[in-house]
Amino acid sequence: AITDLLLANQSNTVAFDLGGVRLVPSGMLGLLASLRQLDGLAPTVQVFNPSKDVQEVLQITKLNTLIEVHEA
């Protein structure tokens, strides 16, 4: 559904507020990474307010190099 929305609206940025989220399932991490590879779009993917645990996972998997991490 997320990819359909991005493609339908030609969005160039997608952001997720992870405030209060302690863990992110691996499938969601895969989705976040794959969003950067949408044909013709390659949107910027942003996450806001990730917990220390989520930040650590993003660093270990090097997804923090594909996903912008922000504290709000």
Side-chain angles (χ1 to χ4, degrees), residues 2-4 6-7 11 14 33-43:
I2 293 171
T3 56
D4 290 343
L6 288 170
L7 292 170
S11 299
V14 61
S34 69
L35 290 175
R36 297 257 313 152
Q37 299 171 358
L38 286 177
D39 289 338
L41 278 185

Side-chain angles (χ1 to χ4, degrees), residues 10-30:
Q10 295 294 303
S11 299
N12 59 7
T13 302
V14 61
F16 299 90
D17 184 354
L18 299 181
V21 176
R22 292 202 53 226
L23 300 171
V24 177
S26 60
M28 182 63 176
L29 293 174

Side-chain angles (χ1 to χ4, degrees), residues 42-68:
T44 299
V45 179
Q46 301 174 331
V47 294
F48 288 84
N49 306 311
S51 68
K52 295 293 181 195
D53 291 332
V54 172
Q55 287 180 34
E56 184 177 331
V57 169
L58 293 173
Q59 290 172 347
I60 290 170
T61 61
K62 303 216 185 300
L63 287 174
N64 62 336
T65 63
L66 298 174
I67 299 168
E68 294 180 13

